[in-house]
Each structure stands twice: as C-alpha cells, then as structure tokens.
Amino acid sequence: MSNKPPFLGFGLGLRPQHYSEILEGSPQVDWFEVISENYMIEGGQPLRMLDKICERYPVVMHGVSLSIASTAPLDREYLARLKKLAERVNPVWISDHLCWTGVSGKNTHDLLPIPYTEEALTHVASRVAQVQDFLGRRILMENVSSYVSFKDSALTEWEFIAEIARRADCLLLLDVNNIFVSAYNHGFDAEAYLAGIPAERVQQIHLAGHSNCGDYIIDTHDADVIDPVWDLYAKAIARLGPVSTMIERDDNIPPLVDLVAELDQARRVAEAALRREAA
C-alpha cells in the first residue's frame, strides 16, 4: 500500500447549497470532503459541479454505505462504483465508517454499532484488507457515535479500533465529536480514548455539532461545534500533532461564510494547541 497521505489543512463537507459560492468566490477552505454515494451516479449536475470543484481544490471521498462490519458478503457492485468514482475524482483518500448499515440487502441509512470481540476483529480486519486490495489503496476507517453497547465486548472501543488499523494496515478518521458523544452516552473517559489511538494511523479528524437530549446525546450534525468538543479537539491535536481537519454539517446548513468562520476557529484551536505543546 502507498504511504500515508499529506496534511491538507482545514476543510469542509461539500454541500449543493454552496456550489455557486465556492465556484464564484475563493472561500478560505483548503479542501473538501464529498459523500461518495451522492456522486456514484451516471452523469448529471452533481458530477459536473464536482468536476469543477476538483479542478480547484483537493478532494477526499467519504462513504456511508460500505457496511464493513456486516456479515453479508462485500457488495462488489458497490465497490466497483466506488472505484469508478475514485478514478474520476482522484481523491487524496477514501474513508468510511467502522459499522454495519443494513441486513438482507436493505440499507437502514444508519451507522450501527458492533461488538468489540476477537471474532469481530478478525472479520472486520479481513474485510478492510479486501476493500483496500480491490481499490488499490489504503482507506480510512472512522469511529461512529453509539447509543447501545454489547455485553460480549471484551475490548474497549479504542483498543478495537487500534487493532483493526494494525491488522488491516489501514488509516483512521478520528471523529472527535463522536468520541465526545459516545463517552457521554456510555460513561467512558474521552481522554483515555485519545490516549489509546495510534497517532501514526490518524489521517483525518471530523468535528460536528450534536443534540443533547439530557440522558443521552445524538450525533446530528445540525449545529455548531460546542466548547467541550473544541477542548477535546485541542487535546487530540496536542497528542497527535497536525491532522487534516474538517467540519461536518448535514442539517440546518448555514451560509458558507458561517461555516468558514467556524473552520477558522478550528485553525485557531489547532494552532494554539500546537504552540502549547511546543512551549
């Protein structure tokens, strides 16, 4: 497999609401992340817009339907369409989630949790390796937010993720908001999670907002990043060093200028964390 990709800086998720603003201006965004499935189509306006974005910015692909932890066979048709899109986009990297998304051929359009067991480790690591072989590149696996846990789990989430990365020789997309959400929901130590993640494997960081329902938090991507998540991000950067970072927003999407302002905050938080670490 190829070496670890470069540091890209600070990016945003590409959303149709912002196509015109991006192409007609020069927003202070270093790169864009696209949802792979939105462009795994035959022609049309979305692909034309994506082609124009790719001419001006580095782009990475982020999937939501790989279902890497499913017990169903890998979807070879899906993988072929993913590879075809990658050949068109030439993304800096490709990522998806450490989860399963459906059963009996039905996609739930949700990111479902898995038990952290040796059996699951062996199964998922093998499937990640198969996907990487098919695509001809290393991929990034992302930690998901979760709302239930399994009695059979023998490992912590961070131990499981670290071992998946080691066995499959893949990279990681560390979602800091998801760590915060799951730590709140399950009562584990978010800083212990960060300490257990192999720094050399982390290629990208996600930041996002969520909905606090009192007894639990839901990862909704519909609000600004909150201060405790910014604090956790600072701790992540202090431990990991510079990591390509982007902000996800999938609902209540504000004007691009507002997202760029929030992205500037990510830059400031990261720079301050690195200065403190170097002092």
Side-chain angles (χ1 to χ4, degrees), residues 116-135:
Y116 302 129
T117 64
E118 175 61 34
E119 182 181 15
L121 260 177
T122 301
H123 176 69
V124 175
S126 172
R127 286 164 66 91
V128 172
Q130 290 176 63
V131 170
Q132 292 184 141
D133 287 344
F134 182 87
L135 296 176

Side-chain angles (χ1 to χ4, degrees), residues 169-188:
D169 191 25
C170 68
L171 298 172
L172 298 175
L173 194 174
L174 192 67
D175 192 311
V176 171
N177 181 64
N178 284 352
I179 295 174
F180 182 87
V181 168
S182 295
Y184 184 98
N185 290 342
H186 301 302
F188 63 70

Side-chain angles (χ1 to χ4, degrees), residues 34-91:
V34 302
I35 302 299
S36 303
E37 290 79 3
N38 290 347
Y39 301 93
M40 290 164 60
I41 53 179
E42 295 296 332
Q45 181 74 352
L47 276 177
R48 287 194 292 272
M49 291 294 100
L50 179 57
D51 287 342
K52 292 180 180 180
I53 298 292
C54 289
E55 291 173 0
R56 297 179 55 177
Y57 295 92
V59 168
V60 306
M61 289 166 44
H62 183 56
V64 295
S65 298
L66 182 59
S67 202
I68 198 68
S70 173
T71 56
L74 287 168
D75 186 338
R76 298 290 173 175
E77 180 181 352
Y78 172 88
L79 288 173
R81 291 165 58 216
L82 182 66
K83 187 172 185 177
K84 182 179 179 180
L85 179 63
E87 289 168 350
R88 178 173 186 148
V89 171
N90 191 26

Side-chain angles (χ1 to χ4, degrees), residues 37 64-65 100-102 106-112:
E37 290 79 3
V64 295
S65 298
W100 58 288
T101 58
K106 303 296 183 182
N107 193 333
T108 67
H109 300 288
D110 207 347
L111 308 174
L112 303 171

Side-chain angles (χ1 to χ4, degrees), residues 10 14-15 28 35 44-45 49 72 98 103 107 127 136 163 168 179 185 187 193 199 223-224 226 237 251 254 272:
F10 297 84
L14 181 63
R15 303 295 180 261
Q28 294 301 303
I35 302 299
Q45 181 74 352
M49 291 294 100
L98 190 57
V103 65
N107 193 333
R127 286 164 66 91
E163 186 62 9
I179 295 174
N185 290 342
Y193 193 119
D224 293 346
I226 66 169
I237 293 298
D251 202 1

